[in-house]
Coordinates of all heavy atoms in Angstrom, one line a residue:
Y440 N 119.7 104.1 88.8 CA 118.9 105.4 88.9 C 117.4 105.1 89.2 O 116.9 104.1 88.6 CB 119.0 106.2 87.6 CG 118.2 107.4 87.6 CD1 118.6 108.6 88.3 CD2 117.1 107.5 86.8 CE1 117.9 109.7 88.3 CE2 116.4 108.7 86.7 CZ 116.7 109.8 87.5 OH 116.0 110.9 87.4
A442 N 113.5 107.3 89.9 CA 112.9 108.6 90.0 C 111.4 108.3 90.2 O 110.8 107.4 89.7 CB 113.1 109.4 88.8
A444 N 107.7 110.8 90.3 CA 107.2 112.1 89.9 C 105.7 112.2 89.7 O 105.0 111.1 89.7 CB 107.9 112.5 88.6
T445 N 105.2 113.4 89.6 CA 103.8 113.5 89.2 C 103.9 113.3 87.6 O 104.8 113.6 87.0 CB 103.3 114.9 89.5 OG1 104.3 115.9 89.2 CG2 102.9 115.0 90.9
P446 N 102.8 112.7 87.1 CA 102.9 112.1 85.7 C 103.2 113.1 84.6 O 103.8 112.6 83.6 CB 101.6 111.4 85.5 CG 101.1 111.1 86.9 CD 101.6 112.2 87.7
Q447 N 102.9 114.3 84.7 CA 103.1 115.3 83.6 C 104.6 115.5 83.4 O 105.0 116.0 82.4 CB 102.4 116.6 83.8 CG 103.0 117.5 84.8 CD 102.5 117.3 86.2 OE1 102.8 116.2 86.8 NE2 101.8 118.2 86.8
L448 N 105.5 115.0 84.4 CA 106.9 115.2 84.3 C 107.6 113.9 83.8 O 108.8 113.9 83.6 CB 107.5 115.6 85.6 CG 107.1 117.1 86.0 CD1 107.4 117.3 87.5 CD2 107.8 118.1 85.2
D449 N 106.9 112.8 83.6 CA 107.5 111.6 83.2 C 108.3 111.7 81.9 O 109.4 111.3 81.8 CB 106.4 110.5 83.0 CG 105.8 110.0 84.3 OD1 106.2 110.5 85.3 OD2 105.0 109.1 84.2
A450 N 107.7 112.3 80.9 CA 108.4 112.4 79.6 C 109.7 113.3 79.7 O 110.7 112.9 79.1 CB 107.4 113.1 78.6
L451 N 109.6 114.3 80.5 CA 110.8 115.2 80.7 C 111.9 114.4 81.4 O 113.1 114.5 81.0 CB 110.4 116.4 81.5 CG 111.6 117.3 81.9 CD1 112.3 117.8 80.6 CD2 111.1 118.5 82.7
L452 N 111.6 113.6 82.4 CA 112.6 112.7 83.0 C 113.2 111.8 82.1 O 114.4 111.5 82.1 CB 111.9 112.0 84.2 CG 111.7 112.8 85.5 CD1 110.8 112.0 86.4 CD2 113.1 113.1 86.2
I453 N 112.4 111.2 81.2 CA 112.9 110.2 80.2 C 113.8 110.9 79.2 O 114.9 110.4 78.9 CB 111.7 109.5 79.5 CG1 110.9 108.6 80.4 CG2 112.2 108.8 78.3 CD1 109.6 108.1 79.9
E454 N 113.5 112.1 78.8 CA 114.3 112.8 77.8 C 115.7 113.2 78.5 O 116.7 113.0 77.8 CB 113.6 114.1 77.4 CG 112.4 113.8 76.4 CD 111.6 115.1 76.1 OE1 112.2 116.2 76.3 OE2 110.5 115.0 75.7
A455 N 115.6 113.6 79.7 CA 116.9 114.0 80.4 C 117.7 112.8 80.6 O 119.0 112.8 80.5 CB 116.5 114.7 81.7
S456 N 117.1 111.6 80.9 CA 117.9 110.4 81.2 C 118.6 109.9 79.9 O 119.6 109.2 80.0 CB 117.0 109.3 81.7 OG 116.1 108.8 80.7
K457 N 118.1 110.3 78.8 CA 118.7 109.9 77.5 C 120.0 110.7 77.2 O 120.7 110.4 76.3 CB 117.7 110.0 76.4 CG 116.6 109.0 76.4 CD 115.6 109.2 75.3 CE 114.5 108.1 75.3 NZ 113.5 108.3 74.2
M458 N 120.2 111.8 77.9 CA 121.3 112.7 77.7 C 122.5 112.5 78.6 O 123.5 113.1 78.4 CB 120.8 114.2 77.7 CG 119.8 114.6 76.7 SD 119.3 116.3 76.8 CE 120.9 117.1 76.4
V459 N 122.3 111.7 79.7 CA 123.3 111.5 80.7 C 123.8 110.1 80.7 O 123.1 109.2 80.6 CB 122.7 111.9 82.1 CG1 123.8 111.7 83.2 CG2 122.2 113.3 82.1
T468 N 123.4 105.2 78.2 CA 122.8 106.3 79.0 C 122.1 105.7 80.2 O 121.9 104.5 80.3 CB 121.9 107.1 78.1 OG1 120.7 106.2 77.8 CG2 122.5 107.6 76.8
I469 N 121.7 106.7 81.0 CA 120.9 106.3 82.2 C 119.6 105.7 81.7 O 119.1 104.7 82.3 CB 120.6 107.5 83.1 CG1 121.9 107.9 83.8 CG2 119.5 107.2 84.1 CD1 121.8 109.2 84.6
Y470 N 119.1 106.2 80.6 CA 117.8 105.7 80.1 C 118.0 104.2 79.7 O 117.1 103.4 80.0 CB 117.4 106.5 78.9 CG 116.2 105.9 78.2 CD1 114.9 106.1 78.7 CD2 116.3 105.2 77.0 CE1 113.8 105.6 78.0 CE2 115.2 104.6 76.4 CZ 114.0 104.9 76.9 OH 112.9 104.3 76.2
D471 N 119.1 103.9 79.0 CA 119.4 102.5 78.6 C 119.4 101.5 79.8 O 118.8 100.5 79.7 CB 120.7 102.4 77.9 CG 120.7 103.2 76.6 OD1 119.6 103.3 75.9 OD2 121.8 103.7 76.2
S472 N 120.1 101.9 80.8 CA 120.1 101.0 82.0 C 118.8 101.0 82.7 O 118.4 100.0 83.3 CB 121.2 101.5 83.0 OG 121.0 102.8 83.4
W473 N 118.1 102.1 82.7 CA 116.8 102.2 83.4 C 115.8 101.2 82.8 O 115.0 100.6 83.5 CB 116.2 103.6 83.2 CG 115.4 104.2 84.3 CD1 115.0 103.5 85.4 CD2 114.7 105.4 84.3 NE1 114.2 104.3 86.2 CE2 114.0 105.5 85.5 CE3 114.6 106.5 83.4 CZ2 113.2 106.6 85.8 CZ3 113.9 107.6 83.7 CH2 113.2 107.6 84.9
V474 N 115.8 101.0 81.5 CA 114.8 100.2 80.8 C 115.3 98.8 80.5 O 114.6 98.0 80.0 CB 114.3 100.8 79.5 CG1 113.7 102.2 79.7 CG2 115.5 100.9 78.5
D478 N 110.0 96.7 80.4 CA 109.5 97.0 79.1 C 109.2 98.5 79.0 O 109.1 99.1 77.9 CB 108.1 96.3 78.8 CG 108.3 94.8 78.7 OD1 109.4 94.4 78.2 OD2 107.4 94.1 79.0
S479 N 109.1 99.2 80.1 CA 108.9 100.7 80.1 C 109.7 101.3 81.2 O 110.2 100.6 82.1 CB 107.4 101.0 80.3 OG 107.0 100.5 81.5
V480 N 109.9 102.6 81.1 CA 110.7 103.3 82.2 C 109.8 103.3 83.4 O 108.7 103.8 83.5 CB 111.0 104.7 81.7 CG1 111.7 105.5 82.9 CG2 111.9 104.7 80.5
P481 N 110.4 102.8 84.5 CA 109.6 102.6 85.8 C 109.6 103.9 86.6 O 110.1 103.9 87.7 CB 110.2 101.5 86.5 CG 111.7 101.6 86.1 CD 111.7 102.1 84.7
V482 N 109.0 105.0 86.1 CA 108.9 106.2 86.9 C 107.9 106.0 88.0 O 106.7 105.6 87.7 CB 108.5 107.4 86.0 CG1 108.4 108.7 86.9 CG2 109.5 107.7 84.9
G483 N 108.3 106.1 89.2 CA 107.3 105.8 90.3 C 106.4 107.0 90.5 O 106.7 108.1 90.0
R484 N 105.3 106.7 91.2 CA 104.4 107.8 91.6 C 104.8 108.4 92.9 O 105.2 107.7 93.8 CB 103.0 107.3 91.6 CG 102.4 106.8 90.3 CD 102.1 108.0 89.3 NE 103.2 108.8 88.9 CZ 103.8 108.6 87.7 NH1 103.5 107.6 87.0 NH2 104.8 109.4 87.4
V504 N 109.2 116.1 91.6 CA 110.1 115.0 91.2 C 110.9 114.7 92.4 O 111.3 115.6 93.2 CB 111.0 115.4 90.0 CG1 112.1 114.3 89.8 CG2 110.2 115.5 88.7
M506 N 114.4 112.1 93.0 CA 115.3 111.1 92.3 C 116.6 110.8 93.1 O 116.9 111.5 94.0 CB 115.7 111.8 90.9 CG 116.5 113.1 91.0 SD 116.9 113.8 89.4 CE 115.3 114.6 89.0
I542 N 121.4 115.0 85.7 CA 120.0 114.8 85.4 C 119.1 115.8 86.1 O 118.1 116.3 85.6 CB 119.6 113.3 85.6 CG1 118.3 113.1 84.8 CG2 119.5 113.0 87.0 CD1 118.0 111.6 84.6
L545 N 119.6 119.1 84.3 CA 118.9 119.1 83.0 C 117.4 119.3 83.1 O 116.8 120.1 82.3 CB 119.2 117.8 82.2 CG 120.6 117.8 81.5 CD1 120.7 116.4 80.8 CD2 120.7 118.9 80.4
V546 N 116.8 118.6 84.0 CA 115.4 118.8 84.2 C 115.1 120.2 84.6 O 114.1 120.9 84.1 CB 114.8 117.8 85.3 CG1 113.4 118.1 85.6 CG2 115.0 116.4 84.7
R549 N 115.5 122.6 81.6 CA 114.3 122.6 80.6 C 113.1 123.3 81.2 O 112.4 124.1 80.5 CB 113.9 121.1 80.4 CG 114.9 120.4 79.5 CD 114.8 120.8 78.0 NE 113.5 120.7 77.6 CZ 112.8 119.6 77.1 NH1 113.5 118.5 77.1 NH2 111.6 119.7 76.7
P557 N 107.6 121.9 79.4 CA 107.6 120.5 78.9 C 106.7 119.6 79.8 O 107.2 118.6 80.3 CB 109.0 120.1 79.0 CG 109.6 120.9 80.1 CD 108.9 122.2 80.1
E559 N 103.4 117.1 80.1 CA 102.6 116.2 79.2 C 101.5 115.6 80.0 O 101.8 114.7 80.8 CB 103.5 115.2 78.6 CG 103.1 114.7 77.3 CD 101.9 113.8 77.4 OE1 101.9 112.8 78.0 OE2 100.8 114.2 76.8
S562 N 99.7 111.5 79.6 CA 100.2 110.4 80.4 C 99.6 110.5 81.8 O 99.4 109.5 82.5 CB 101.7 110.5 80.5 OG 102.2 111.7 81.0

Side-chain angles (χ1 to χ4, degrees):
Y440 178 73
T445 45
Q447 75 274 63
L448 291 167
D449 286 2
L451 176 58
L452 280 168
I453 292 169
E454 290 173 20
S456 72
K457 292 178 179 179
M458 296 182 65
V459 180
T468 66
I469 289 175
Y470 174 81
D471 295 329
S472 61
W473 209 5
V474 300
D478 294 332
S479 60
V480 176
V482 180
R484 295 284 68 91
V504 170
M506 62 183 82
I542 196 163
L545 277 179
V546 172
R549 287 286 309 277
E559 207 289 298
S562 61

